[in-house]
Amino acid sequence: MSDCNSFCNSTCHERSYYSWDASDYGPSPLILNINHDTLRNPSFRTTRWTGEHMQLTFMSIPVGYDIGTENHPSQDQYICIVDGDGVIYMGDSPYSLSYSHPLDNGCAVLIPANTWHNVINTGDRPLKIYCIYAPIVHLPETVHWTKRDSDLEK
């Protein structure tokens, strides 16, 4: 049995290893090297897979930037830090983010629906994360090349 790296390098959407592939592959089944693709993502946000009940996005948050204080009223969110350093703030309102925790490689954050939160890049390189939402938050095939693109969509 092969590991995901060798399988994905030889079988999965091979073109993404030579140039960034901003395609949303949902709702078809997908096998990918999630850490590799997260590290390669140059955009602020790209939806990689959108299904009927769940969505995977990659994010690259520039040094000193944040995702912006947000709340998903009926979606749970999972965030995994693949590379970089940051901090997460969470709370019951955008004016009371009373919980904070430093983030670095390998940290996983589970955010219940209707929890206000913000992730800030406190490191010296882009903060590379992937997020899983259930149910979906963004339109399929969403690509925000910059935070400004994301802010304009709100």
Side-chain angles (χ1 to χ4, degrees), residues 124-141:
D124 59 2
R125 62 189 182 276
L127 182 61
K128 301 290 191 160
I129 68 176
Y130 66 86
C131 303
I132 297 174
Y133 302 95
I136 69 171
V137 171
H138 305 286
L139 292 174
E141 301 181 13

Side-chain angles (χ1 to χ4, degrees), residues 42-124:
S43 71
F44 182 75
R45 177 182 295 111
T46 295
T47 59
R48 172 57 79 222
W49 189 90
T50 303
E52 187 175 342
H53 304 286
M54 184 174 64
Q55 182 172 61
L56 168 66
T57 65
F58 298 136
M59 294 187 75
S60 180
I61 304 168
V63 173
Y65 280 73
D66 64 350
I67 62 171
T69 302
E70 60 183 8
N71 176 317
H72 308 297
S74 43
Q75 292 92 356
D76 293 327
Q77 184 176 5
Y78 167 83
I79 298 174
C80 182
I81 310 303
V82 175
D83 189 48
D85 298 296
V87 64
I88 186 160
Y89 295 94
M90 293 186 276
D92 294 332
S93 82
Y95 310 106
S96 179
L97 299 177
S98 56
Y99 178 82
S100 68
H101 197 279
L103 302 171
D104 61 9
N105 301 0
C107 283
V109 180
L110 297 161
I111 304 170
N114 207 30
T115 300
W116 287 92
H117 59 280
N118 192 7
V119 174
I120 301 170
N121 181 347
T122 60
D124 59 2

